[in-house]
Structure formats: structure tokens, C-alpha cells
Amino acid sequence: MKRRVAVLAAGALLGGALAVPAVTASAGTSGPCSDADTAIYRPPASASAAPGDVIACRTVDSLPLLGGGTAVNAWKVQYGSTDGHGRRDTVAGTVIVPKEAWQGPGERPLVAFVPGTLGIGPQCAFSKQLAGQYQDAYEGPNLSALLKAGFAVAATDGAGYLDGQVHPYVSGADAGHAVLDVVRAASRLPGSGVSPDAQVGIWGYSEGGSGSLWAAQLAKSYAPEVNVVGVASGGVPGDLRQVAKALNGGGFAGFLVDAVIGLSVTHPDMPFDGLLNDKGRTAVKDAESLCAVGTVARFTGAHIEDYTKDRLTLDQLYALHGPDGTTWGQVADTNRLGVGVGPSGSGARYEIGFPVLQYRGLLDEVIPAETGQGTRRAYCDAGVATQWTSYAGDHLLGDPQAIGDSVDWLTDRFAGRPMHGNC
């Protein structure tokens, strides 16, 4: 299986390389950001910064994950955000801006990029991988294509990647806030040249697809000043219960292990540690020490029942409740996408006033077809302007196959061209 995982990862990398012409990224060192690299990942004593405020920043001299081509200025940044419970939080990310002047009308557009699954330990942070400190990520071609188009990029690591933390994998509100706040941080970053009035696109796949759609749902209420004009989301795990059922005991069960741990981080009062047997405690330690490929290899074929003292099934776990009566099933359902959405002026809980692109690979073996179609139907039935696209690839290849179309779609949104949905 380890060989199979390596082949799949290489396929994703190759697919991305074939999808986008080579782009050279040579990061500059202009600007006043000179904090130590350790300062980017050191959590403050108390999270008190306002959402989007820059706490620490550092110029980045090399971005090997991007390959070669477009000359850019780049920075690592630590910024204020909000967790899923509405409390102040601190997150890290990367801001990248082409050196060549923007050739289009108005301000240079900004794309908030949300990476796919990387692992739940701080060693897996996307900003570290972009800078070459660790290599497990595969979405460099996505960023290269955006930069080649002249757009600025703000890529969040997501919550829980600072030293000593655990990433709250699949927590929708945590993800959506981190995305919207990296947009704010990009315009407040000294020397970035990113305008707070810039048009903003949001793009992500897999875990990033979920995070990007959560950002879409939260944009109006959480960051109404951010000028979002379109969100592209692929391979979206929109219903955690459906995805968990498909993953349990399968080749990608490691994603389920990460999800269970991630939700335990966001809900520490819910039953978790006391349920684990020795095998379960070892699984938690292993998951927190591995990144994406290692996690898939380590937990291939794993069954969640094997990690609890009473061999609890998923349905039995969903029925367990915390001290306030909330069940694990309700926690999972809180993260379901497409619930309470509607267009601007609808009065829906989540008003979405811009077009949305959703896509998936027809051979996706990670996210069930019913999950992707269910999220699409929810958006369409609610009247949200939605375009749907599918590709002849599996989950890994669906990401690079969509690069060209996704960048073109975002380009059309920045140009103000109408989108013809296909609900």
C-alpha cells in the first residue's frame, strides 16, 4: 500500500505539472517584515489580535513548491482569527504577490487559496511546505497558475498549525474564518500592495473545498467588507456522516481518523479520551505525527471500532453526548454544508451573494458521489448561483485536472462576466 500511496501522490503531482505551464517563482525580500521564522509559528500567550490583524511576518526567499517562473514577493504571516466557537484565535499563512505590475483594470485581484488535506500536526503546515521546510503537499501548480494569471494569493494554513497545536480537521467555522481572515491580513501586511478593496476569489479542493465553501457561507456575516466575487470548490466533503461511512475500513481511513481527532479538538468536553483503548491512543499519537501520505499509509483499512474499548460503531459514537446534551452526531451535522444557505436578500442564515463553482472527479473514491451531488442540490434548491463540473479522474487527479478551468472561472468573475449556472 505504501507503494500505491506514493504512486498516487506522484500522479497528482504529475497531473498538476501537466495541467499548468512551468512558472518560475523567485520570492523577493522587499518590505519591512523581518520576524524570525519561529515567531510565525509560536502561539501568543493569549489570542487577543483582531481578526485579520498581522501579528508577525517574515519575507520568504524561496518557494520551491511553486516550481520555476513568475517573480514574486512572498511573506509568511501570523494573523488574528476566530475559532468555531467565536473566540479569538491565531493562524499562520502565506501571502504571494507577483512582482510584475497588474495589467488589468482596478486593483490586482486576490485569491484566497485553501489547501487540501495535509495532516493534523504543525509540521504539516502549508506555509512550511511552500517554503521547502517539509514536502508532502501537491498543490504548487494551483498557486503557480494563479500567479501566472497575475493574481495575488493568500494561502491560509488553517487553524491549529502553530507549535504544540492540533489542526481541527473538518471543522467548518474554524476553516471559513481562517480563510476570510487571511484575506484581511493580506491587505494589512506591510509592503504587500494588496488593496482592501480588491476583488476576492476563493478556491480549494477536498478539505480545501469544504473550507472554501464554509468561507462562502460565512462571508456576509463574518467579513462583509471583503469583496468576494466567486468561490470555486472541488471534491467537497459536504456531509461528514456520509463521508465517514465510506472511509471506515477503506484505503483512505486515515482521513476519518484525522476527522475524529479534529472534532475532539474543537469539542474537548465531548467524550473521547476515555473511550480509547491502547490501540486508539497509539493511533492518535501516530496521526498527530504524520502528514498526508504517511497518514493514508498508516491507517489503510483501519476500522474506527478497533480504537475504542467497547468497539463502538460510528452510529454508536454519534449517539454519545457531552455534559450539555449535545451528541457527536449533532457535532458532525453542524458541519454539513448547504444547510441554511440562500441568495442575497433571502433572509437565509448563510446568504451567498456571488456565484459558486462546484466540481468533482467521476471516479472519486474518497468523497461519495451522493455527498457531492447532495451539496450541489442544496445550493441549487436554495437559489444560489451554482455551476457544476465533473472530470474523468479519481479524488487525487480531480484536483490538478480542474486547475485550468478553475483559474479561467475565477478570471471571468474578476472580469464581471455573467455566470450561466447549470442547476
Side-chain angles (χ1 to χ4, degrees):
M1 179 60 196
K2 290 183 179 179
R3 182 178 181 275
R4 176 173 176 263
V5 170
V7 170
L8 288 172
L13 287 167
L14 179 58
L18 292 175
V20 183
V23 179
T24 303
S26 57
T29 57
S30 62
C33 291
S34 58
D35 288 303
D37 195 65
T38 53
I40 302 299
Y41 303 104
R42 183 187 307 118
S46 62
S48 57
D53 277 359
V54 174
I55 301 168
C57 58
R58 174 181 178 81
T59 55
V60 179
D61 297 324
S62 178
L63 296 169
L65 190 62
L66 297 185
T70 303
V72 301
N73 291 315
W75 303 262
K76 287 184 179 183
V77 58
Q78 184 188 96
Y79 60 94
S81 191
T82 307
D83 71 10
H85 298 285
R87 301 170 300 208
R88 293 285 173 90
D89 197 10
T90 308
V91 179
T94 307
V95 176
I96 314 170
V97 181
K99 288 185 176 181
E100 183 177 349
W102 169 243
Q103 301 300 314
E107 302 288 348
R108 184 194 301 274
L110 173 70
V111 176
F113 185 79
V114 197
T117 299
L118 297 173
I120 59 175
Q123 72 280 359
C124 309
F126 194 51
S127 60
K128 292 181 178 179
Q129 301 208 38
L130 282 173
Q133 293 165 266
Y134 179 80
Q135 187 55 66
D136 196 32
Y138 49 87
E139 293 181 300
N142 303 54
L143 301 192
S144 294
L146 293 170
L147 295 165
K148 184 176 175 60
F151 308 144
V153 173
T156 182
D157 287 351
Y161 280 112
L162 303 186
D163 294 342
Q165 297 181 346
V166 177
H167 175 52
Y169 190 59
V170 304
S171 176
D174 285 88
H177 293 156
V179 174
L180 294 165
D181 286 326
V182 80
V183 172
R184 289 166 159 159
S187 67
R188 300 173 192 177
L189 182 68
S192 72
V194 175
S195 171
D197 299 321
Q199 294 187 103
V200 174
I202 302 174
W203 183 21
Y205 185 84
S206 192
E207 183 189 1
S210 173
S212 58
L213 271 192
W214 271 106
Q217 294 188 177
L218 293 168
K220 181 176 180 180
S221 60
Y222 183 72
E225 83 284 5
V226 174
N227 184 20
V228 181
V229 298
V231 175
S233 306
V236 181
D239 186 322
L240 297 187
R241 291 208 203 199
Q242 289 178 350
V243 177
K245 181 179 179 180
L247 292 177
N248 197 31
F252 294 89
F255 298 157
L256 173 57
V257 173
D258 279 356
V260 171
I261 297 170
L263 292 180
S264 78
V265 170
T266 58
H267 293 78
D269 293 335
M270 294 292 291
F272 182 70
D273 288 338
L275 306 175
L276 300 175
N277 56 22
D278 289 343
K279 188 174 181 179
R281 285 187 286 273
T282 298
V284 170
K285 292 179 180 177
D286 288 350
E288 293 177 3
S289 67
L290 297 167
C291 293
V293 174
T295 298
V296 174
R298 163 66 174 83
F299 294 104
T300 299
H303 290 266
I304 208 71
E305 300 92 319
D306 294 337
Y307 298 132
T308 61
K309 298 172 184 176
D310 299 322
R311 292 190 56 78
L312 299 173
T313 65
L314 285 168
D315 286 339
Q316 289 172 324
L317 287 170
Y318 293 142
L320 297 177
H321 60 80
D324 66 351
T326 300
T327 66
W328 272 123
Q330 290 171 319
V331 171
D333 290 342
T334 298
N335 291 282
R336 184 186 300 164
L337 283 157
V339 177
V341 299
S344 289
S346 65
R349 180 181 181 185
Y350 303 119
E351 292 190 7
I352 302 175
F354 42 79
V356 171
L357 168 66
Q358 297 182 35
Y359 58 93
R360 72 182 300 271
L362 291 172
L363 303 177
D364 195 322
E365 72 280 55
V366 177
I367 308 300
E370 63 178 328
T371 303
Q373 293 286 1
T375 305
R376 175 197 185 187
R377 284 195 303 271
Y379 272 67
C380 288
D381 291 348
V384 178
T386 304
Q387 181 176 329
W388 174 263
T389 303
S390 56
Y391 297 91
D394 60 9
H395 187 72
L396 285 170
L397 291 177
D399 190 358
Q401 286 174 335
I403 289 175
D405 289 342
S406 297
V407 174
D408 288 346
W409 188 86
L410 289 168
T411 300
D412 286 344
R413 305 289 75 75
F414 293 138
R417 300 185 184 100
M419 187 201 78
H420 303 290
N422 56 358
C423 283

